[in-house]
Amino acid sequence: MAGAHILLVDDDTDLLRLLSLRLTANGYRVTSADSAEAALARLSIELPQLVVSDVRLPGRDGMALFQEIRSQYPALPVILLTAHGTIPDAVEATTLGAYAYLTKPFDAKVLLDRIEHALSLTAPAPAQGGGDERWREEIISRSQSMAELLAEAKLVAASDASVLIRGESGTGKELLARAIHRASRRAKAPFIAVNCGAIPEQLLESELFGHVKGAYTGAVNSREGLVQAADGGTLFLDEIGDMPLLLQVKLLRVLQERVVRQLGSDQGRPVDVRILSATHRDLDAAMLEGQFREDLYYRLNVITLTLPPLSERREDVALLATRFLHALAAKYQKTVSGFAPGALEALTRASWPGNVRQLYNVVEHVCALATAPLVPLTLVQRALRVPSLEVLSYTEAKQRFERNYLVQLLKLTDGSVADAARLAERNRTEFYRLLQKYDLNAAQFRADGVADS
């Protein structure tokens, strides 16, 4: 990722200079340090997006530096450079969460490839420009498509125009609506969200527009509706495509007249409310089928913003997963600090039909079951319901089959070597040799614990 900030740590000044020049020539911004202490000082001033460190350093060594980084900045990727004698340390560091290690002398292209790959999985979100960005703080992203969408959303927020937010389920349509509200002049007024598909039709009218006492059986008191509750602020109508046609007519009247009438009343009350709506349905098709009013559609769809699915913003997966993991670890009081590199890559490559909501559920799954500081690949595969792919050599596959076959025979025959050999169509001497090869004791499969002779 061009422009990314990399911290280089090495006490070899010549190598440090060479690496700095090479990375700078490839578009990276480089900061260097010649010791672990200097590196930690740099980290306290400005957090880079990647650390590349030698293992052998004066004073506190690279392993100690790595452990400090893992403790203070668990999402910050680290690549270790090591001489031959320190390979065991580097291997240990990799199991603890170092992104990769390279043995000196290393190929410059290999280092650049590892850096690019590490940044593609784990780089934190860049600054989204100057100014106060708290309005969009809930939206975690570094993708270009989301940056362009958020820039449009901030422009839209300055007006009172109705906005239709499109996107698949789980993409974060309500988060975007809340962000628009926070960036608008209405930010200090109420934001009211209504899921039109989650409220039964007979209750939705009363929820939206309110009712007067005696309007229907059970209406023992008058009640203000959610449209009135949002007066001065923003009303977010989620899944607007599921709103019944009768209520579409009443909503259209509110938008046209800026007046709301409670159920059972003929008196209108003025309201000043901005409407944001969202849907995952194809409203154009719904209009053709007579399921959605065309006049309401054009009232709601003054401006359209479309959220991309997570599969089209894969550079955000690692950011989201890491943020979710930290929040959930705190919630469940777990000591989980991050994902193993293979686990993070598996998350990035997943299809995500359920989008960000599905990613959150997967991270909650692995956080609840994690027993180590780093979430392993196998646990992620289990949460994704992806079978673990293990490629064995022919010899390994044959040996595994033979051992499992022998175990099944001994279970079937209650540890009788004679019966097992007969089923396998082998003589007992040959069968005993096979048992010895795989260190299998037939007596362990017998109820009385004694093998036959």
Side-chain angles (χ1 to χ4, degrees):
M1 186 176 64
H5 180 198
I6 298 174
L7 174 61
L8 290 178
V9 190
D10 202 311
D11 62 332
D12 184 335
T13 55
D14 292 334
L15 180 60
L16 202 59
R17 188 180 303 110
L18 178 63
L19 283 177
S20 182
L21 289 172
R22 186 160 286 160
L23 293 178
T24 301
N26 281 271
Y28 297 112
R29 183 165 67 90
V30 178
T31 302
S32 59
D34 59 4
S35 68
E37 288 74 15
L40 291 171
R42 291 283 187 181
L43 288 170
S44 65
I45 297 169
E46 182 184 5
L47 196 65
Q49 288 160 273
L50 175 70
V51 175
V52 179
S53 175
D54 189 15
V55 172
R56 288 289 175 90
L57 294 171
R60 188 186 306 197
D61 64 14
M63 288 293 292
L65 172 62
F66 163 71
Q67 290 170 351
E68 186 75 18
I69 291 173
R70 288 303 302 165
S71 173
Q72 293 190 39
Y73 315 102
L76 180 60
V78 177
I79 294 177
L80 293 172
L81 308 179
T82 173
H84 178 74
T86 55
I87 286 180
D89 286 341
V91 172
E92 179 188 358
T94 303
T95 64
L96 293 174
Y99 178 77
Y101 71 89
L102 297 177
T103 305
K104 296 179 180 179
F106 51 83
D107 185 286
K109 185 178 183 305
V110 173
L111 175 60
L112 289 171
D113 288 344
R114 296 289 173 85
I115 288 173
E116 183 180 354
H117 197 237
L119 290 172
S120 72
L121 289 175
T122 56
Q128 300 292 326
D132 188 352
E133 296 296 323
R134 285 176 295 179
W135 69 278
R136 45 87 66 200
E137 63 187 356
E138 292 182 318
I139 301 176
I140 306 162
S141 176
R142 66 180 177 88
S143 75
Q144 186 60 34
S145 61
M146 284 296 291
E148 293 171 359
L149 177 68
L150 289 169
E152 291 181 8
K154 193 166 188 180
L155 290 173
V156 166
S159 73
D160 256 354
S162 297
V163 181
L164 177 63
I165 303 173
R166 296 178 183 266
E168 296 177 5
S169 293
T171 50
K173 295 186 287 294
E174 183 173 339
L175 287 182
L176 182 58
R178 289 183 182 277
I180 292 171
H181 172 73
R182 282 196 296 268
S184 74
R185 66 176 180 83
R186 298 174 178 269
K188 294 183 180 180
F191 175 90
I192 305 293
V194 184
N195 189 324
C196 300
I199 302 174
E201 180 177 348
Q202 61 271 24
L203 296 180
L204 184 58
E205 181 177 5
S206 175
E207 286 291 316
L208 283 175
F209 308 117
H211 61 261
V212 297
K213 181 179 179 180
Y216 56 86
T217 303
V220 294
N221 294 301
S222 296
R223 181 184 175 189
E224 184 182 73
L226 295 176
V227 175
Q228 284 180 273
D231 190 26
T234 303
L235 179 67
F236 174 57
L237 299 173
D238 198 6
E239 300 303 347
I240 189 68
D242 294 334
M243 179 176 281
L245 283 169
L246 178 61
L247 294 189
Q248 291 179 30
V249 175
K250 296 190 175 184
L251 177 61
L252 178 63
R253 186 179 299 121
V254 171
L255 294 177
Q256 290 172 335
E257 301 174 3
R258 296 293 169 178
V259 170
V260 63
R261 290 179 177 81
Q262 292 179 300
L263 188 62
S265 172
D266 57 2
Q267 298 296 316
R269 297 185 183 183
V271 288
D272 171 26
V273 63
R274 183 185 193 175
I275 302 292
L276 304 180
S277 54
T279 183
H280 73 282
R281 294 184 61 188
D282 184 345
L283 292 187
D284 297 287
M287 283 192 298
L288 292 174
E289 295 168 0
Q291 296 178 359
F292 201 86
R293 292 184 62 93
E294 185 175 357
D295 45 7
L296 177 60
Y297 174 79
Y298 290 114
R299 281 279 183 176
L300 297 173
N301 191 27
V302 176
I303 298 170
T304 299
L305 297 176
T306 303
L307 277 163
L310 190 55
S311 60
E312 293 180 9
R313 40 182 288 222
R314 293 188 181 278
E315 61 268 53
D316 290 341
V317 171
L319 283 172
L320 290 161
T322 302
R323 181 73 66 88
F324 293 159
L325 185 67
H326 292 166
L328 289 164
K331 176 182 176 181
Y332 294 131
Q333 299 183 337
K334 302 289 290 270
T335 57
V336 189
S337 61
F339 293 90
L344 209 52
E345 187 166 356
L347 289 172
T348 304
R349 291 181 176 179
S351 58
W352 301 118
N355 294 293
V356 180
R357 186 182 296 124
Q358 182 190 5
L359 174 60
Y360 183 89
N361 291 341
V362 166
V363 174
E364 186 168 22
H365 178 123
V366 300
C367 183
L369 296 179
T371 56
L374 290 180
V375 176
L377 171 62
T378 52
L379 193 53
V380 166
Q381 289 174 326
R382 175 179 171 184
L384 290 171
R385 294 181 174 83
V386 175
S388 178
L389 179 61
E390 183 181 16
V391 179
L392 303 175
S393 67
Y394 174 79
T395 300
E396 290 172 330
K398 179 182 177 182
Q399 289 174 346
R400 180 172 295 187
F401 170 79
E402 281 187 346
R403 189 182 192 286
N404 291 338
Y405 177 70
L406 294 172
V407 168
Q408 289 174 4
L409 285 177
L410 291 173
K411 286 181 177 179
L412 184 64
T413 60
D414 193 27
S416 170
V417 174
D419 290 343
R422 185 167 56 255
L423 289 173
E425 298 182 358
R426 291 291 184 269
N427 62 56
R428 284 205 295 177
T429 301
E430 182 182 359
F431 199 83
Y432 270 118
R433 280 200 298 269
L434 286 171
L435 295 181
Q436 187 175 13
K437 176 182 177 181
Y438 294 104
D439 197 24
L440 292 173
N441 183 355
Q444 295 175 340
F445 296 86
R446 290 182 59 84
D448 56 13
V450 180
D452 60 339
S453 58

